[in-house]
Amino acid sequence: MESLRWRKSSRSSAGGPECVEIALVSSGAAVRDSKNADGARLRFGGAGWDTFLTAAKTGSFVS
């Protein structure tokens, strides 16, 4: 992935286990675990990013 400007999500806990960072890209966004900056990253196109945000806001990822 190209050089990205990462920022911690406002939904992340202060120092807890649910910490993610996002970087906006020209066609959507990228997401990574802030505790493992060199680990896996997810990249979303515009429509995919909108779907991801909706799912996160509605609690769709909670089991």
Side-chain angles (χ1 to χ4, degrees):
M1 237 182 246
E2 70 272 12
S3 178
L4 300 174
R5 175 180 251 165
W6 295 96
R7 67 177 178 87
K8 190 170 182 180
S9 169
S10 62
R11 298 271 181 177
S12 291
S13 55
E18 297 88 18
C19 299
V20 297
E21 294 177 326
I22 62 170
L24 299 179
V25 296
S26 61
S27 62
V31 180
R32 71 179 181 185
D33 182 342
S34 62
K35 296 176 304 308
N36 186 10
D38 294 324
R41 299 171 182 182
L42 300 174
R43 188 166 180 161
F44 299 91
W49 182 237
D50 289 341
T51 301
F52 177 85
L53 288 177
T54 298
K57 290 176 183 178
T58 60
S60 295
F61 298 125
V62 178
S63 57

